[in-house]
PDB file of all heavy atoms in Angstrom:
ATOM      1  N   LYS A 311     -39.308   7.652  36.034  1.00  0.00           N
ATOM      2  CA  LYS A 311     -38.832   6.301  36.345  1.00  0.00           C
ATOM      3  C   LYS A 311     -39.525   5.717  37.576  1.00  0.00           C
ATOM      4  O   LYS A 311     -39.497   4.506  37.794  1.00  0.00           O
ATOM      5  CB  LYS A 311     -37.325   6.295  36.567  1.00  0.00           C
ATOM      6  CG  LYS A 311     -36.887   7.032  37.829  1.00  0.00           C
ATOM      7  CD  LYS A 311     -35.386   6.936  38.047  1.00  0.00           C
ATOM      8  CE  LYS A 311     -34.991   7.620  39.367  1.00  0.00           C
ATOM      9  NZ  LYS A 311     -33.536   7.491  39.626  1.00  0.00           N
ATOM     10  N   HIS A 360     -44.683  -4.961  37.804  1.00  0.00           N
ATOM     11  CA  HIS A 360     -43.604  -4.156  37.236  1.00  0.00           C
ATOM     12  C   HIS A 360     -42.408  -4.234  38.172  1.00  0.00           C
ATOM     13  O   HIS A 360     -42.556  -4.032  39.376  1.00  0.00           O
ATOM     14  CB  HIS A 360     -44.064  -2.706  37.075  1.00  0.00           C
ATOM     15  CG  HIS A 360     -43.003  -1.790  36.549  1.00  0.00           C
ATOM     16  ND1 HIS A 360     -42.748  -1.653  35.198  1.00  0.00           N
ATOM     17  CD2 HIS A 360     -42.116  -0.977  37.194  1.00  0.00           C
ATOM     18  CE1 HIS A 360     -41.760  -0.781  35.024  1.00  0.00           C
ATOM     19  NE2 HIS A 360     -41.361  -0.358  36.216  1.00  0.00           N
ATOM     20  N   VAL A 361     -41.242  -4.525  37.632  1.00  0.00           N
ATOM     21  CA  VAL A 361     -40.030  -4.645  38.450  1.00  0.00           C
ATOM     22  C   VAL A 361     -39.288  -3.311  38.442  1.00  0.00           C
ATOM     23  O   VAL A 361     -38.760  -2.886  37.412  1.00  0.00           O
ATOM     24  CB  VAL A 361     -39.107  -5.767  37.931  1.00  0.00           C
ATOM     25  CG1 VAL A 361     -37.863  -5.870  38.819  1.00  0.00           C
ATOM     26  CG2 VAL A 361     -39.835  -7.095  37.885  1.00  0.00           C
ATOM     27  N   TYR A 362     -39.276  -2.632  39.597  1.00  0.00           N
ATOM     28  CA  TYR A 362     -38.540  -1.378  39.728  1.00  0.00           C
ATOM     29  C   TYR A 362     -37.080  -1.659  40.032  1.00  0.00           C
ATOM     30  O   TYR A 362     -36.711  -2.764  40.439  1.00  0.00           O
ATOM     31  CB  TYR A 362     -39.145  -0.528  40.848  1.00  0.00           C
ATOM     32  CG  TYR A 362     -40.486   0.066  40.504  1.00  0.00           C
ATOM     33  CD1 TYR A 362     -41.663  -0.563  40.912  1.00  0.00           C
ATOM     34  CD2 TYR A 362     -40.585   1.255  39.778  1.00  0.00           C
ATOM     35  CE1 TYR A 362     -42.906  -0.016  40.610  1.00  0.00           C
ATOM     36  CE2 TYR A 362     -41.824   1.808  39.471  1.00  0.00           C
ATOM     37  CZ  TYR A 362     -42.974   1.163  39.888  1.00  0.00           C
ATOM     38  OH  TYR A 362     -44.201   1.705  39.579  1.00  0.00           O
ATOM     39  N   ASP A 363     -36.255  -0.631  39.880  1.00  0.00           N
ATOM     40  CA  ASP A 363     -34.817  -0.789  40.097  1.00  0.00           C
ATOM     41  C   ASP A 363     -34.499  -1.215  41.522  1.00  0.00           C
ATOM     42  O   ASP A 363     -33.483  -1.882  41.768  1.00  0.00           O
ATOM     43  CB  ASP A 363     -34.087   0.525  39.781  1.00  0.00           C
ATOM     44  CG  ASP A 363     -34.121   0.857  38.294  1.00  0.00           C
ATOM     45  OD1 ASP A 363     -34.379  -0.070  37.497  1.00  0.00           O
ATOM     46  OD2 ASP A 363     -33.893   2.034  37.939  1.00  0.00           O
ATOM     47  N   TYR A 364     -35.327  -0.803  42.493  1.00  0.00           N
ATOM     48  CA  TYR A 364     -35.021  -1.128  43.888  1.00  0.00           C
ATOM     49  C   TYR A 364     -35.370  -2.563  44.259  1.00  0.00           C
ATOM     50  O   TYR A 364     -35.094  -3.000  45.379  1.00  0.00           O
ATOM     51  CB  TYR A 364     -35.754  -0.170  44.833  1.00  0.00           C
ATOM     52  CG  TYR A 364     -37.264  -0.194  44.745  1.00  0.00           C
ATOM     53  CD1 TYR A 364     -38.015  -1.181  45.364  1.00  0.00           C
ATOM     54  CD2 TYR A 364     -37.934   0.808  44.053  1.00  0.00           C
ATOM     55  CE1 TYR A 364     -39.398  -1.184  45.289  1.00  0.00           C
ATOM     56  CE2 TYR A 364     -39.317   0.823  43.977  1.00  0.00           C
ATOM     57  CZ  TYR A 364     -40.046  -0.174  44.598  1.00  0.00           C
ATOM     58  OH  TYR A 364     -41.413  -0.173  44.522  1.00  0.00           O
ATOM     59  N   CYS A 365     -35.966  -3.290  43.337  1.00  0.00           N
ATOM     60  CA  CYS A 365     -36.376  -4.662  43.636  1.00  0.00           C
ATOM     61  C   CYS A 365     -35.382  -5.660  43.050  1.00  0.00           C
ATOM     62  O   CYS A 365     -35.192  -5.727  41.826  1.00  0.00           O
ATOM     63  CB  CYS A 365     -37.773  -4.940  43.083  1.00  0.00           C
ATOM     64  SG  CYS A 365     -38.407  -6.573  43.513  1.00  0.00           S
ATOM     65  N   ASN A 366     -34.761  -6.436  43.915  1.00  0.00           N
ATOM     66  CA  ASN A 366     -33.826  -7.464  43.485  1.00  0.00           C
ATOM     67  C   ASN A 366     -34.589  -8.769  43.233  1.00  0.00           C
ATOM     68  O   ASN A 366     -35.097  -9.393  44.167  1.00  0.00           O
ATOM     69  CB  ASN A 366     -32.755  -7.683  44.564  1.00  0.00           C
ATOM     70  CG  ASN A 366     -31.812  -8.813  44.210  1.00  0.00           C
ATOM     71  OD1 ASN A 366     -31.523  -9.046  43.036  1.00  0.00           O
ATOM     72  ND2 ASN A 366     -31.342  -9.530  45.223  1.00  0.00           N
TER      73      ASN A 366
END
Side-chain angles (χ1 to χ4, degrees):
K311 68 177 183 178
H360 178 84
V361 181
Y362 288 97
D363 292 341
Y364 61 80
C365 184
N366 176 33

